[in-house]
Structure formats: structure tokens, C-alpha cells
Amino acid sequence: MRLICLSVNYENSKLADRAGLWEDEKTLRLMLDGGPLSELLPIHTCNRTELYGIISEGSELPSDSIPSCADILTGKDVVEHLLRVLLGLESMACGESFVVSQVKKEYDRYSPLCGRILNRLFQRSFNLAGILRTEYHPGRAPSIPWLMGQAIKDHPAWPSPRIALIGAGDMGTETAKVLKAMGLPFSVSNRTEKTGRSLAEEAGADWIPWERWKDLTETSDVLIFATSSPEPLLSEIAGGNRPWIIDMGAIPQVEVPGLKRISVDELKDRTLEILDDYRRHLGKLEEETDEAAQALWADLTTVRTDTYRRLAMMRVGHIVDERAARTAQKTGASEEILRQMAWSVAKGILSPVLEMNSPHSSRIWRALSEEERS
């Protein structure tokens, strides 16, 4: 089983490098239909864009399909990486839990491109990650919106900056929770009024209709953009107000020169400082994640081992039947007795392999199952 993951993440790329990568389903299907992969699943989160796949027998991924900045993981390393992603251990906001819902949405969206192995990998990983988080997580989880909230504390108007939140999707909802927890009043605007009004009411914020959100640029100290707009929403600001821009869009939401703009990319160095002590409390979780990855990898390879084992034993059965019938014709002995004797000999020879239960046994069963071998 040639399991692979191409990871383009906040550590090896900028948001612009990840925008649009592995999103077009037609292009993805070309990688399956006669392409190098037999299964694949892309995931897109705030911090990363990744492609998980099973390389088809006798195929290789063409080099021009692999981004130059991508980290390439294979085998057990892919399993451990996925568990670490689901546990937030690979996130900029280490230990965060928001990533789980993002990955699940991607799995639901692209699962038709998966086969038996990737379905099993992701379903088991969701389950294991939930158990590990419950048992070993220290109990407090930062997030990208939380880190953005810490950045607001540097604003000259702190502790009473005027804040406007543009967007009420998943990221906007999480941001509203952070702002409410920090005791900061703010306004909300969203393209879909029902969703935006609901969030504003829940967070105790002011609701601003979408057609009026640009008015907030003249009255706000901080504008937080949490939309999924495929193009910038703001290209100019009337008047002399120069608000801070906190931009959580995968594609930059603001193109106004001269404004202080804090994006996910700009948070990287600050995050290392803020969360340095917190990371040390994740040590036990990381140890258990490594153990869980080894167990899950063994489980995945055992599935393939069982397949090769069945093929090998079927081939042994054909050989036993053939030899028993041939010998019975030559000697006149009972074919059934000869078959039982032959099976006893075959099982005796194979007994060391039959008792093995490790990922390495897959190679042995595969060799025994191949037709050209005697």
C-alpha cells in the first residue's frame, strides 16, 4: 500500500500559494481516471492544503503535480500526521479543535473520491482523535480567532477599540465567541441576513445589513474579515480613518495600501511566543498520538495483509488440488487422503508466517500470492 500525503501548510508556504490548490473536482478526477492515484482526498483548512492519496500499482506522481514547497509524507508518517492535524498539533494555534470540523467538511465533500483505504483511514482517525483529545488534551484550546484577539490588544485604542466583524460563517462564528469572551463590543455584517442576525443576537453584537458594511470602515478601529470571498471586498476607504485590518480570508479580503493588516501569515512568529508555554502541556498527547498512529498503521496494513493472505492461500489450495489429483492418477491412491496430507505439509511450511501479525508480513504474503512464483 503506497499511502502518500502532500502537505502545503503555514510553515512552508503563504496563503497565496495555497489558494485554489486541489479544489477543482474535474482536475482531481483526472488524477484518478487513468491517473497515478487509485484514491485521493484533498483537505483545505486555515493553516494548510493537503492531498492524501493511494498511488496506483506501477505508477508515480509526476513531479509537475507536486508543489515545490510541499512536504511529502508516506506510509505510517501519513497516519501520524493526520492524527496530529486533527488534534491541532500541526496547527499554528497548537492544540486547537476548530480544525476537526474543517477536515470533516472536506471529507464529506470529497469522500466520493476515496476508496476502502482512505475511508478507513479518515473514519478511524476521527474516532481515535476524539478519544485522544478527551483523555490527554490539557483542556484549553487556542484558535486562530483567539490569536487574532490577542493581536487586538496592541491597538492604540485598547481596551475599548471599535470593532466590526465581516462574515458570519464558521470562522466568523468562532471569532464572535472570542470577542464576546474578551468583553469587547462589536458589530456584525454578513451577506446572508438570517445567519448574520442570528450570530449578532447570540453574541450580543450590533447587526449591520450587508449593503451598509462599508460604512463601518469610517467608524471602526478594527475591521475583522472572516469571509470566503474569492476576491478582495475592500479596495479603498473614504475619509481619513485608517482602521487595522485583521484578515482571515484564504484569499486577501482587503487591498488598501497603507493600512495595518494582520493576516494568518503574519501571526506565525507571534504564535510561537504566545503559545510557547502551552505547547509543553501537550507532551503527553503527542506521545499517545505516536502510539495510536502505529496501531492504526498496523490495522491498515493488516487489511491489505489479509487480502494477500487470502490470495496466497487460494493459490496454495490450487497447487494442493493439482498435485493430489496428479499423484492419485499415477499411484491409484485416494485423492482425498493425498489432499489432506498435502495440506498438512503446506500448513507446516507456512506456520511461521501464519503466526505473524505485523505490517512486515504483508510483503511475505504478497510474494506468496504472486502467480509467477513457484
Side-chain angles (χ1 to χ4, degrees):
M1 177 177 63
R2 301 173 66 196
L3 177 63
I4 191 170
C5 171
L6 307 180
S7 178
V8 183
N9 54 69
Y10 76 96
E11 292 186 306
N12 60 25
S13 65
K14 298 291 186 182
L15 279 169
D17 300 322
R18 306 193 289 274
L21 185 61
W22 298 317
E23 287 189 352
D24 181 63
E25 290 195 35
K26 289 184 178 179
T27 302
L28 293 172
R29 286 200 173 275
L30 287 175
M31 300 178 76
L32 290 174
D33 300 334
L37 298 177
S38 59
E39 303 180 32
L40 66 81
L41 179 71
I43 63 170
H44 307 87
T45 75
C46 307
N47 292 154
R48 65 191 60 256
T49 296
E50 296 182 334
L51 184 69
Y52 293 79
I54 304 295
I55 301 179
S56 302
E57 200 68 35
S59 298
E60 296 292 340
L61 279 176
S63 57
D64 60 2
S65 69
I66 303 175
S68 58
C69 58
D71 292 333
I72 304 174
L73 301 98
T74 59
K76 174 186 167 292
D77 291 340
V78 176
V79 179
E80 182 172 4
H81 175 75
L82 177 57
L83 283 175
R84 290 180 61 86
V85 166
L86 291 172
L87 290 164
L89 296 173
E90 295 293 329
S91 296
M92 183 185 297
C94 64
E96 55 101 359
S97 58
F98 188 67
V99 67
V100 177
S101 62
Q102 292 179 314
V103 176
K104 284 184 175 179
K105 283 185 177 180
E106 294 294 279
Y107 176 69
D108 290 342
R109 176 183 176 184
Y110 293 108
S111 59
L113 303 178
C114 292
R116 178 178 57 81
I117 297 173
L118 287 186
N119 277 322
R120 188 177 181 87
L121 169 63
F122 274 80
Q123 291 168 12
R124 289 294 307 278
S125 294
F126 289 138
N127 183 54
L128 276 174
I131 294 171
L132 289 168
R133 182 175 289 277
T134 299
E135 294 295 327
Y136 301 107
H137 196 280
R140 48 195 175 95
S143 63
I144 294 296
W146 181 84
L147 291 171
M148 292 293 190
Q150 304 311 298
I152 295 175
K153 294 180 179 179
D154 293 335
H155 195 283
W158 182 264
S160 303
R162 297 168 298 174
I163 300 173
L165 172 60
I166 315 300
D170 290 341
M171 189 65 76
T173 298
E174 183 68 18
T175 301
K177 291 178 182 178
V178 169
L179 295 175
K180 181 179 180 180
M182 293 175 70
L184 297 173
F186 60 99
S187 301
V188 174
S189 186
N190 188 61
R191 194 182 300 273
T192 303
E193 181 172 345
K194 182 178 179 180
T195 303
R197 278 189 178 276
S198 176
L199 179 61
E201 291 175 7
E202 184 179 337
D206 296 327
W207 161 249
I208 304 296
W210 183 252
E211 59 271 16
R212 288 180 45 214
W213 77 262
K214 287 189 178 180
D215 296 344
L216 297 168
T217 63
E218 301 177 21
T219 59
S220 300
D221 298 309
V222 179
L223 286 172
I224 303 176
F225 287 84
T227 79
S228 56
S229 174
E231 56 188 24
L233 292 174
L234 187 64
S235 57
E236 61 179 0
I237 292 180
N241 191 41
R242 312 299 286 175
W244 279 22
I245 303 297
I246 293 182
D247 193 342
M248 291 187 283
I251 296 174
Q253 304 290 283
V254 178
E255 287 186 346
V256 180
L259 295 184
K260 181 177 177 63
R261 178 176 175 273
I262 303 172
S263 70
V264 173
D265 287 337
E266 277 82 49
L267 277 181
K268 181 179 176 181
D269 292 336
R270 182 184 181 91
T271 299
L272 294 175
E273 177 184 348
I274 293 174
L275 298 177
D276 181 59
D277 180 65
Y278 176 75
R279 287 179 184 274
R280 287 193 284 271
H281 293 284
L282 296 171
K284 181 62 175 175
L285 179 61
E286 293 194 290
E287 290 177 15
E288 295 296 332
T289 299
D290 179 65
E291 293 291 327
Q294 292 186 47
L296 179 50
W297 173 243
D299 180 50
L300 290 172
T301 51
T302 298
V303 172
R304 181 57 62 92
T305 296
D306 287 343
T307 301
Y308 286 132
R309 177 173 172 162
R310 285 194 297 271
L311 290 172
M313 294 306 288
M314 284 174 61
R315 185 159 185 265
V316 170
H318 292 322
I319 294 172
V320 165
D321 290 344
E322 179 187 347
R323 299 292 170 84
R326 188 186 307 168
T327 303
Q329 279 186 341
K330 288 182 178 180
T331 64
S334 167
E335 184 175 333
E336 182 58 29
I337 292 175
L338 289 170
R339 185 180 293 111
Q340 292 176 12
M341 291 174 61
W343 264 117
S344 296
V345 173
K347 289 179 180 178
I349 295 171
L350 294 173
S351 60
V353 189
L354 289 167
E355 293 172 3
M356 288 179 67
N357 187 23
S358 74
H360 303 294
S361 59
S362 176
R363 300 174 189 169
I364 300 173
W365 285 116
R366 179 175 180 176
L368 291 171
S369 69
E370 291 177 350
E371 290 293 337
E372 66 270 17
R373 295 183 184 271
S374 57

